[in-house]
Amino acid sequence: MKILVPTDFSENAFLAAQYAAEIAKKHHYSLHIVHFYTAVSSGFDENELEDLREQSDVLKADLTIKEWVSRLQAQYPDISISYHNDRGLLDEALPKEAKRADYVAIAMGTTGASANKNIFWGSNTALIVAKSPIPVIVIPNIPQIRTEIKKVGLLTNFKQEELTTLQEFVHIFKQEIDVALIHVYKESESMTSVTNRLDSWGFNVDEFSAVRQTSKLVAPTVKEDKDQDTIPEVISKLIDDHDVDIILISKTRKTFFERLFTSSVSKAMTLKLQKPAFFGKTI
């Protein structure tokens, strides 16, 4: 069984690969590194010139991925690491590749080299999360991020898909965990009724043999700006303020990820995820 790791050869992608390697080492997986390239238009009509440019791009990628993987292999000599280059757009080609072999998950960073070129990699990540047939682990660009997982935060709106996502996580990580149920409610709702509903929903989570104990992280939305959806901000603060090692997001909550990683029109800001996120597969 393998973890699929896309790379654009950036340092941010290498951080994600290191995180994936730590998972692989602990849970006995191998890694497969993949780089997708596209032919860059030369601006001329001559097919031959286009072919030469593409061959040059492919050759460069072949050399670069070999060096990149060698650097990773030197750090993790006991892990089996394979790799290949292929032509295609990342958000289209990666989900197709995920169907082809015994991959348990995709592991990728939140931003890549393109972030320095005013092309937002986060939007690519969101597209892959939406399309992937296997779970996606998204790793923030933080050096020496903690890879040990003791407590997971499960974003909950009391949907069956959340339990499926938790099941997928337990299947891949094969360890005991504490689970914090994370729920943001409207100011008009009663805190007591929300807590009671979480208590009832928590029984479903307690049924998992891998779950040691559950806790609750709840907070109301605060709309300082009527045009600003504050749910991502509230959740981001909850997970940063508590000892959560990774957050679990089901397919019904993927719009949260898109809002978390795209700029707000009203405040022109981009929130930064400080903890890894595990997304359930898209069915």
Side-chain angles (χ1 to χ4, degrees):
M1 303 298 281
K2 297 178 282 188
I3 299 173
L4 178 59
V5 184
T7 180
D8 60 356
F9 307 134
S10 66
E11 283 303 304
N12 290 338
F14 197 79
L15 289 175
Q18 287 176 308
Y19 188 94
E22 291 291 338
I23 297 172
K25 182 170 69 174
K26 184 173 182 180
H27 303 292
H28 309 292
Y29 295 117
S30 58
L31 296 183
H32 186 75
I33 313 297
V34 62
H35 170 72
F36 295 106
Y37 63 90
T38 55
V40 181
S41 173
S42 65
F44 294 91
D45 292 330
E46 293 88 342
N47 291 331
E48 184 178 4
L49 184 59
E50 177 68 21
D51 290 342
L52 286 172
R53 167 161 277 183
E54 182 169 333
Q55 289 170 18
S56 175
D57 287 345
V58 173
L59 179 61
K60 182 179 178 182
D62 285 342
L63 294 173
T64 305
I65 197 170
K66 185 176 180 180
E67 294 170 358
W68 203 87
V69 171
S70 295
R71 179 183 164 201
L72 185 66
Q73 188 76 76
Q75 290 187 13
Y76 298 94
D78 298 330
I79 297 176
S80 173
I81 306 177
S82 55
Y83 62 91
H84 82 281
N85 291 313
D86 204 353
R87 181 171 175 172
L89 295 171
L90 179 70
D91 64 294
E92 295 176 0
L94 189 61
K96 290 180 182 177
E97 174 64 26
K99 295 178 181 178
R100 290 190 179 132
D102 295 328
Y103 298 118
V104 295
I106 294 170
M108 63 188 301
T110 50
T111 58
S114 58
N116 299 323
K117 303 173 185 175
N118 299 318
I119 303 172
F120 202 53
W121 171 280
S123 60
N124 257 341
T125 309
L127 285 170
I128 288 159
V129 162
K131 295 177 180 180
S132 177
I134 59 176
V136 179
I137 305 167
V138 178
I139 300 102
N141 304 318
I142 302 172
Q144 299 175 332
I145 189 168
R146 189 168 81 177
T147 55
E148 183 182 10
I149 296 174
K150 294 180 178 178
K151 182 191 286 188
V152 306
L154 177 62
L155 296 194
T156 182
N157 258 343
F158 317 111
K159 304 289 187 183
Q160 182 63 37
E161 292 91 341
E162 297 155 11
L163 302 178
T164 303
T165 298
L166 178 58
Q167 181 62 54
E168 291 169 351
F169 176 86
V170 169
H171 176 72
I172 292 169
F173 282 79
K174 303 182 180 73
Q175 65 176 87
E176 291 188 335
I177 50 171
D178 296 337
V179 176
L181 300 173
I182 301 174
H183 179 73
V184 177
Y185 61 94
K186 297 176 182 177
E187 288 179 288
S188 57
E189 292 182 83
S190 160
M191 174 68 170
T192 303
S193 65
V194 169
T195 302
N196 290 340
R197 196 173 180 193
L198 274 172
D199 286 338
S200 298
W201 181 246
F203 283 118
N204 296 296
V205 177
D206 290 332
E207 291 295 309
F208 285 78
S209 58
V211 175
R212 289 183 298 239
Q213 62 180 6
T214 58
S215 57
K216 297 182 287 291
L217 297 179
V218 296
T221 56
V222 180
K223 293 233 174 186
E224 297 174 354
D225 184 332
K226 64 181 177 64
D227 296 323
Q228 176 66 30
D229 180 358
T230 64
I231 291 176
E233 288 93 326
V234 174
I235 293 175
S236 183
K237 188 172 191 317
L238 282 174
I239 62 177
D240 287 343
D241 289 350
H242 296 81
D243 198 23
V244 173
D245 299 309
I246 189 168
I247 57 173
L248 274 54
I249 305 173
S250 65
K251 61 188 179 72
T252 55
R253 300 303 303 275
K254 284 170 184 174
T255 52
F256 156 76
F257 177 73
E258 292 166 359
R259 293 201 299 268
L260 185 63
F261 281 92
T262 52
S263 295
S264 154
V265 174
S266 59
K267 293 189 177 179
M269 62 176 290
T270 303
L271 293 169
K272 299 295 184 183
L273 187 65
Q274 300 297 310
K275 300 289 177 69
F278 177 96
F279 291 88
K281 64 185 178 184
T282 297
I283 298 171

